[in-house]
Amino acid sequence: MSNLAIGLLGAMVLLGVMFLRVPIGVALTLVGACGYAVVDGWRKALTMVGAVPFELASAYSLSLVPLFILMGAIASRAGMSRELFDAANGVFSGWRGSLTNATIGACAAFGAICGSSIATAATFSKVAIPEMRRHGYDEGLAAGCVASAGTLGILIPPSVILAIYSLVAEQSLPQLFAAALFPGLLLATLYIVVVVIIVRVRPQWTPLVPAMTLAQRLRAAVGLWKLALLFFLAVVGIYLGWFSPTEAAAIAAFAAAVIGFATRTLSIRGFLDALLDTVYSTAMLFFIIVGAFIFSRFIVLTRLPNELVAWVHQVGLSPFLIVVAVVLLYFLLGTFLEEVSTILITVPVILPLMASIGYDGIWFGIFVTVMATIGLISPPLGLTVFVIQAQNPDIPASKIYRGTLPFLGADFVLVGLLIAFPALALWLPAALRM
Amino acid sequence: MIQFVARIFGYLAAFFLAAMMLLTVADILLRSFFSYPIRGMLELIELGLACTIFIALPAVFLRDEHLVVDVIDHLTTPFTVRILDLAGALVSLVVLVVMAWQMVPLARSMHEFGDVTSDLSIPKIYYWIPVLLGVVASALATLVFIARWRRAGAPVGPQP
């Protein structure tokens, strides 16, 4: 059997093993090590299994992942999501669909201090859904809107997914963050357009809510200083050359805690819980990263990525068809695979292919992140939908998926725009480098 | 009891995470206001990261929090899902045991060569200790899961 066939077989076995409910990190390690052994012998494969966790555990560049997660966890424990929701409501109040648009605006803003979509969706599910239901909004729309807007968390910098992508793809994280900003804001705008259309077509889903007074709006806007400060530390500080990404994450997490304690919105209990949440999700993520590194070493060993590029060009597929195939691949994987593992497994194979038709690594990072936002809300495994369903057990999952459908349309519009105009992502990093 | 042990691991890992954060903040403050950076920050952060991750890992296994693809839950009976969970735990156990077994010689050779870090001369074995302990404790946690599976007879899903 050729190495290429072993590589393809390995990928299929991996999907099969994961389908049988083996934890994702374990499945990746197992299949990756066995595949490596078939190609290059057991001795080297076993050594790799012992060495990779150690190499990764003490990799400085990985240290920003827990720190960024911590910042988001503290910000949500400190009730900053509530303040953002009120402030965004101050902007949209008075219009039909104001609460839905406020949710989207607040999620986008929260994305600027939180790098995780799950955390963003979980936080706003507690804040925005009860508010929308209280005012008689359609519950499918309410839940679907939070599930979709929550995905903005990974697109608007800082982003945990981009941090992990920058590790596997060996791309600059500051450039990735800069590249993600416009697509993130554009997606938020597209979501608002979706709401405007829904309001026209189904006005009964969004009853008119009494408008806030000017004084109320101004009072709500005051709460934004926390967000501004944290975003400044976590993101702007990197571009001013003050901090490395890891330092930015640490100081922003620290500042979030100080603000929380000083304004009495964060208790010691809440701070400890934020730390606990962070270490659990870091360890869980880390185990998947270890498995994915082992698996991708096996895949690279089989030369599957090079063979794939050679084959595609030999067959003479047009770049357009290649891009369509890649979009379909990510959409299919995203429907049942969790997003971090999707990115970790596919990037070593697909990035060389995309590079061969002229898309660069920074652009591809934004592209896979947008595809991840689609995977997060598409059935049957839409993780943000699960989070919302767990917190609102009385809203059936099917109803939430129905609610996310129009927003899924907006996601695909963004994918199309990114493909047609790569400058959408690449303009800002190029401008900042000047 | 299980939850109690998981929490102890969790708090210990949380301590190292908080230490990483505070150390970095201290370094930035000392550097900017007193131009006195902390020596060997990189090495300290790396040590903190290894401790945070590997001490939290057994807690993740104890809490059964690992991500699985659960498409099959909708296609088959709860009984089959339980059997698959047991199989998954057995596979996890094998992978963790192999990992630990392969780590020992690597750690030992680094120790025997007397490898130290470049700035602070921290012996490399200190980085291995949390890694090894974490993997062994995770294997034990998986054993606990398997033992409880047999005894409990009821699904041992994630606790709230």
Side-chain angles (χ1 to χ4, degrees):
Chain A
M1 196 160 41
S2 73
N3 284 352
L4 186 65
I6 297 173
L8 284 172
L9 189 67
M12 276 185 275
V13 171
L14 174 70
L15 291 181
V17 172
M18 286 196 293
F19 185 71
L20 293 176
R21 283 186 66 102
V22 173
I24 293 174
V26 173
L28 284 162
T29 310
L30 179 75
V31 179
C34 292
Y36 201 100
V38 172
V39 180
D40 207 19
W42 280 105
R43 192 58 256 148
K44 281 188 181 161
L46 287 174
T47 309
M48 180 178 70
V49 172
V52 168
F54 178 73
E55 287 164 19
L56 284 174
S58 52
Y60 180 76
S61 45
L62 212 74
S63 60
L64 63 90
V65 172
L67 292 168
F68 271 134
I69 298 179
L70 179 63
M71 171 175 64
I74 293 176
S76 55
R77 297 267 173 193
M80 287 183 199
S81 41
R82 174 83 237 177
E83 288 164 11
L84 288 178
F85 185 69
D86 291 341
N89 207 7
V91 175
F92 293 105
S93 174
W95 294 342
R96 204 176 263 277
S98 58
L99 292 177
T100 325
N101 279 332
T103 306
I104 294 165
C107 282
F110 197 69
I113 49 173
C114 175
S116 146
S117 289
I118 309 284
T120 308
T123 307
F124 280 94
S125 150
K126 279 176 239 157
V127 175
I129 293 181
E131 194 73 10
M132 285 192 263
R133 294 178 98 179
R134 197 161 62 83
H135 286 97
Y137 275 47
D138 177 76
E139 51 189 23
L141 174 67
C145 150
V146 174
S148 311
T151 66
L152 291 166
I154 52 167
L155 196 52
I156 292 179
S159 154
V160 171
I161 289 232
L162 282 176
I164 292 170
Y165 172 85
S166 84
L167 273 177
V168 268
E170 296 176 341
Q171 300 290 328
S172 138
L173 188 60
Q175 283 190 33
L176 283 166
F177 279 0
L181 185 64
F182 278 127
L185 294 177
L186 180 59
L187 187 58
T189 315
L190 288 172
Y191 282 169
I192 288 177
V193 172
V194 167
V195 173
V196 171
I197 296 172
I198 291 177
V199 166
R200 281 280 167 81
V201 183
R202 293 265 189 282
Q204 69 277 21
W205 282 4
T206 53
L208 204 55
V209 177
M212 293 163 81
T213 63
L214 186 64
Q216 282 173 323
R217 286 175 206 246
L218 289 176
R219 212 174 307 131
V222 172
L224 287 177
W225 69 270
K226 297 178 185 172
L227 168 85
L229 179 68
L230 290 181
F231 181 73
F232 186 81
L233 290 173
V235 179
V236 181
I238 301 177
Y239 298 97
L240 293 175
W242 291 359
F243 318 120
S244 72
T246 300
E247 290 171 345
I251 201 149
F254 180 73
V258 170
I259 293 173
F261 286 132
T263 57
R264 294 173 184 275
T265 45
L266 182 68
S267 60
I268 296 282
R269 181 76 255 162
F271 178 65
L272 286 178
D273 283 342
L275 281 169
L276 277 182
D277 285 353
T278 307
V279 297
Y280 293 147
S281 41
T282 307
M284 186 191 77
L285 260 181
F286 176 81
F287 205 63
I288 293 177
I289 297 177
V290 166
F293 266 73
I294 290 176
F295 185 77
S296 67
R297 285 199 189 176
F298 153 60
I299 288 294
V300 169
L301 188 72
T302 64
R303 299 186 49 79
L304 180 66
N306 320 47
E307 299 283 341
L308 179 70
V309 173
W311 179 78
V312 162
H313 288 282
Q314 197 188 339
V315 176
L317 281 183
S318 73
F320 178 73
L321 278 181
I322 296 176
V323 170
V324 170
V326 168
V327 170
L328 276 178
L329 172 80
Y330 277 101
F331 179 65
L332 286 178
L333 287 177
T335 55
F336 66 94
L337 242 185
E338 175 270 336
E339 280 56 44
V340 173
S341 15
T342 311
I343 289 179
L344 287 166
I345 301 165
T346 53
V347 162
V349 182
I350 306 297
L351 179 56
L353 178 66
M354 295 303 275
S356 75
I357 56 168
Y359 289 103
D360 80 340
I362 299 291
W363 179 88
F364 190 62
I366 308 308
F367 169 81
V368 288
T369 308
V370 176
M371 291 311 297
T373 67
I374 292 175
L376 280 167
I377 52 173
S378 48
L381 186 77
L383 285 179
T384 59
V385 174
F386 284 173
V387 168
I388 288 165
Q389 223 247 317
Q391 289 179 356
N392 303 273
D394 55 322
I395 309 180
S398 55
K399 217 170 191 178
I400 308 179
Y401 281 123
R402 195 206 66 204
T404 61
L405 224 56
F407 298 101
L408 210 53
D411 281 328
F412 276 106
V413 170
L414 179 65
V415 171
L417 288 172
L418 261 182
I419 292 167
F421 309 106
L424 209 58
L426 297 176
W427 175 78
L428 188 60
L432 284 174
R433 236 177 302 168
M434 277 162 56
Chain B
M1 176 64 192
I2 302 281
Q3 287 304 301
F4 178 73
V5 177
R7 269 188 111 68
I8 290 183
F9 278 109
Y11 278 121
L12 212 60
F15 167 79
F16 284 103
L17 176 64
M20 271 166 70
M21 176 181 79
L22 293 174
L23 207 61
T24 310
V25 172
D27 176 55
I28 294 170
L29 294 179
L30 286 171
R31 184 181 73 198
S32 345
F33 296 111
F34 305 96
S35 23
Y36 186 80
I38 297 174
R39 210 160 59 92
M41 265 309 285
L42 216 80
E43 292 164 7
L44 291 173
I45 292 294
E46 287 173 353
L47 189 56
L49 183 68
C51 290
T52 304
I53 290 172
F54 278 91
I55 293 173
L57 195 60
V60 175
F61 277 94
L62 281 173
R63 291 158 56 94
D64 191 23
E65 265 189 350
H66 279 294
L67 282 181
V68 298
V69 176
D70 58 359
V71 183
I72 201 163
D73 297 19
H74 310 288
L75 307 174
T76 182
T77 60
F79 178 73
T80 319
V81 170
R82 260 178 58 66
I83 299 290
L84 287 174
D85 273 348
L86 179 65
L90 288 169
V91 174
S92 306
L93 182 64
V94 171
V95 165
L96 287 165
V97 167
V98 169
M99 224 175 233
W101 165 51
Q102 287 302 315
M103 280 172 171
V104 171
L106 292 173
R108 192 191 293 148
S109 73
M110 261 192 205
H111 183 53
E112 280 164 5
F113 279 115
D115 283 6
V116 294
T117 59
S118 55
D119 275 347
L120 298 176
S121 308
I122 306 171
K124 274 283 173 76
I125 191 72
Y126 287 178
Y127 290 78
W128 272 107
I129 290 170
V131 176
L132 270 170
L133 286 180
V135 173
V136 170
S138 301
L140 291 176
T142 315
L143 268 180
V144 169
F145 178 90
I146 293 167
R148 291 213 314 168
W149 189 93
R150 260 193 65 209
R151 247 188 306 151
V156 269
Q159 271 83 16

